[in-house]
Amino acid sequence: MATDVVMPQMGESITEGTLTKWLKKPGDTVARDEPLFEISTDKVDAEIPSPAAGILGAIKVEEGATVTVGTVVCAIEEAGSSPAAPAPAAPAKAESVTPAATTTAANDAAAPAPAPEAPAAAAGPGTEVPMPQMGESITEGTLTKWLKKVGDKVERDEPIFEISTDKVDAEIPSPAAGTLTEIKVQEGQTVTVGSIVAVIGGGAAAPVAAPKAAAPAPAAAPAAAPVASASAGETPRSSPLVRKIASENNVDLSGVAGSGASGRITKQDILGHLEGAPSAPSAAPAPVVAAPATTPTPAAPKAAPAPAYSPAPGELVPLSKMRSIIAKRMVESKATSPHVHTVFKVDMTRIVKLREKEKNKYEQRNGVKLTYMPFITRAAINALRKHPIVNAAMQGDAILYNKNINIGIAVALDWGLIVPVIKQTEEKNFLGITRAIVDVADRARNKKLAPDEVSGGTFTLTNSGIFGEQFGTPIIAQPQSAILGIGGLNKEPMVLTDKDGNDSIAIRWIQRFTLGFDHRTIDGADAGKFMTDFKQYLENWTEDIG
């Protein structure tokens, strides 16, 4: 009897892993717990042990392939039985590899990879499109908008409709290429998870996907351009996967900014670097900078029609799905947690001067704008490390001390409010936090967030100060114990005392921060200590911003 060996779960937020090296070959005898293969994820590189003793049978996933957690990568046959022939491995691999594998450029070395894609493209019976499961506790979703109409051709993974649930608004991709032949659920309808909402007829559009996925690999030559002037020095920390991608694309890792702990270069860092590579050749930077500037311009008219939906005076307008959910959650939170708020005034002058001095160079160096949010987020993370009770949550008659600091960032949308969560922020440096904030905010506005990216938060930041308020008293996002409200940043006169005790009045940049906390778990003294450390971190900033 064979024992399947699967891609293991290497962390709570890890959904996939790259198999970087086989330590055994088909036909080899293996002992239980003997290392079989190596994997690389965003968080860890590890050797994976065999779950049983026996003989390694067919290898279903080749080196360099990225697969989802739970995918069968090989089988261990009982000793004395004939191991499965390794030949069929390539087709099996193609079925289990996720679309993410194509982005690593690692599978491009496997010549048979595009071939197994062809059967998926073959015309055949219609493919049913179900209402997806958008979170463990989600049982239904509202189909808010169709992005395609009956008769339209669609590519695999092309968005075809939008849904709204308790957790997230999202665009849902097509599970197959073909033609949209039937729409079973109309806009505005709420249906249970698994309900069939549409049918995709067989079509020949899918083969396009294979050349598209394979195309980035030959672009290795331009990739060398941005690193031609990379400064020499120690090789930065990175995983085997990152080094493999860098090697295949002739990238010097010393020229890639790492966003992981201690400057570690992650898979996202190297892929982001490669995506920006085409902008580097000689005199190309100017046009490339201009292109993003012109791209948003057409978007502005698209946003303009929104005011046309403004209700007329006296009109009764039903709550949208998102508005209804927000209302329900806010009432629940106020009924659940005895809210207390404390306001601290922080002198942000040091941060303002640092940002003004570095913002242009920072954006040129890292490809993201330098805002105040990463400074505030890093200060909050530092304070949460020192005061874990603020990062805790009530669970029945006990307090759960969360092992990770998962920061929710409230994002105001034209149609409501959403709070994407940046997981395991304690493992990210300043640059990593900066990139993560920009990423989740952009994808929240474009309805590209996955369900697990709007759940699991342990502490929330909400920046209503951008609208001009001095400070607010935000409501806690359950089951968290605290939320930090960010007030407006303004110049104010302030009394300063020098080391000799002399007072003077100076103009300083002042910002007010409000900690809303659940008095069941957090005492006033704990809240005060947390805010004192948060304030001192900002006022005496020493951290390298990268």
Side-chain angles (χ1 to χ4, degrees):
M1 179 178 173
T3 301
D4 285 338
V5 181
V6 300
M7 176 62 66
Q9 177 82 49
M10 298 301 290
E12 189 176 357
S13 63
I14 302 300
T15 60
E16 64 180 23
T18 299
L19 197 155
T20 52
K21 185 179 180 181
W22 280 102
L23 305 175
K24 296 287 184 177
K25 62 182 183 295
D28 282 357
T29 300
V30 295
R32 180 183 175 87
D33 296 327
E34 183 180 5
L36 273 180
F37 57 94
E38 295 178 357
I39 69 167
S40 179
T41 73
D42 287 350
K43 303 297 181 187
V44 68
D45 300 325
E47 291 184 343
I48 306 303
S50 174
I55 296 172
L56 178 59
I59 286 178
K60 300 185 178 183
V61 174
E62 302 299 329
E63 293 181 355
T66 299
V67 295
T68 54
V69 167
T71 299
V72 176
V73 300
C74 68
I76 303 297
E77 308 283 350
E78 288 184 352
S81 63
S82 299
K93 169 199 160 192
E95 291 172 5
S96 45
V97 174
T98 66
T102 60
T103 63
T104 64
N107 335 1
D108 296 327
E117 296 273 358
T127 300
E128 293 183 331
V129 182
M131 175 61 67
Q133 177 80 46
M134 297 300 288
E136 190 176 351
S137 62
I138 303 300
T139 59
E140 64 180 21
T142 300
L143 197 155
T144 53
K145 184 179 180 182
W146 279 103
L147 304 174
K148 295 287 183 178
K149 61 183 184 295
V150 172
D152 284 354
K153 289 185 177 180
V154 295
E155 300 286 349
R156 179 182 174 88
D157 297 326
E158 181 181 8
I160 54 174
F161 62 94
E162 295 179 358
I163 69 168
S164 180
T165 73
D166 286 358
K167 301 292 185 184
V168 68
D169 288 351
E171 292 181 342
I172 305 304
S174 172
T179 301
L180 181 58
T181 57
E182 185 179 0
I183 286 178
K184 294 177 176 284
V185 174
Q186 300 305 312
E187 293 181 356
Q189 283 187 257
T190 299
V191 294
T192 56
V193 167
S195 298
I196 303 303
V197 301
V199 176
I200 304 294
V208 179
K212 282 184 179 176
V227 297
S229 58
S231 57
E234 285 189 17
T235 302
R237 294 180 62 196
S238 61
S239 69
L241 172 61
V242 168
R243 294 192 290 274
K244 181 180 178 69
I245 296 172
S247 174
E248 291 174 345
N249 291 277
N250 299 323
V251 173
D252 181 354
L253 288 177
S254 63
V256 180
S259 63
S262 303
R264 181 185 178 89
I265 299 174
T266 67
K267 175 179 155 186
Q268 283 72 24
D269 294 332
I270 185 68
L271 293 178
H273 183 85
L274 289 172
E275 286 174 6
S279 66
S282 327
V288 173
V289 172
T294 57
T295 302
T297 307
K302 289 184 180 179
Y309 292 92
S310 296
E315 182 182 355
L316 182 64
V317 180
L319 289 177
S320 67
K321 182 73 174 179
M322 177 177 276
R323 190 77 260 155
S324 176
I325 292 166
I326 291 172
K328 183 180 178 182
R329 295 290 180 261
M330 294 301 97
V331 171
E332 286 176 350
S333 183
K334 291 292 282 188
T336 301
S337 298
H339 280 60
V340 183
H341 293 86
T342 182
V343 182
F344 271 58
K345 188 165 72 171
V346 177
D347 184 350
M348 294 286 285
T349 307
R350 187 184 187 94
I351 300 293
V352 171
K353 289 181 177 178
L354 174 61
R355 177 180 174 270
E356 284 301 311
K357 178 184 176 183
E358 298 291 334
K359 64 180 183 181
N360 292 333
K361 291 183 289 184
Y362 189 89
E363 184 172 359
Q364 292 173 2
R365 186 166 64 244
N366 299 311
V368 287
K369 290 185 177 180
L370 181 61
T371 68
Y372 292 108
M373 278 301 291
F375 290 96
I376 295 166
T377 306
R378 287 291 296 172
I381 294 166
N382 175 72
L384 289 168
R385 278 196 182 114
K386 293 182 178 179
H387 307 281
I389 186 63
V390 184
N391 193 52
M394 281 289 291
Q395 197 170 89
D397 293 328
I399 296 175
L400 172 66
Y401 285 83
N402 292 299
K403 62 181 179 180
N404 297 119
I405 300 174
N406 301 334
I407 303 289
I409 306 286
V411 178
L413 308 171
D414 292 339
W415 56 93
L417 179 77
I418 195 166
V419 186
V421 177
I422 303 173
K423 305 288 180 67
Q424 296 172 301
T425 59
E426 73 278 6
E427 296 182 4
K428 298 181 183 293
N429 61 12
F430 186 93
L431 176 58
I433 293 294
T434 305
R435 286 178 170 163
I437 290 172
V438 172
D439 174 55
V440 296
D442 285 347
R443 288 191 294 115
R445 296 186 183 100
N446 291 295
K447 300 183 180 180
K448 300 294 185 184
L449 291 171
D452 66 345
E453 293 178 307
V454 289
S455 61
T458 60
F459 185 81
T460 296
L461 300 177
T462 178
N463 185 10
S464 51
I466 58 174
F467 303 110
E469 70 177 34
Q470 288 289 306
F471 66 90
T473 54
I475 297 175
I476 299 165
Q478 296 296 323
Q480 299 170 30
S481 289
I483 184 171
L484 186 67
I486 303 167
L489 179 63
N490 301 288
K491 286 182 179 180
E492 294 182 16
M494 186 175 180
V495 176
L496 301 179
T497 304
D498 64 21
K499 61 182 180 180
D500 297 320
N502 301 312
D503 292 338
S504 60
I505 296 177
I507 303 299
R508 309 290 288 180
W509 284 98
I510 302 298
Q511 195 163 20
R512 289 167 178 80
F513 295 87
T514 304
L515 183 71
F517 59 97
D518 186 339
H519 216 331
R520 297 177 302 168
T521 54
I522 303 172
D523 291 332
D526 294 321
K529 292 173 184 176
F530 170 86
M531 289 302 290
T532 297
D533 284 331
F534 171 79
K535 171 185 169 80
Q536 290 178 350
Y537 199 84
L538 287 173
E539 291 186 339
N540 303 284
W541 187 272
T542 58
E543 183 179 341
D544 179 21
I545 64 174

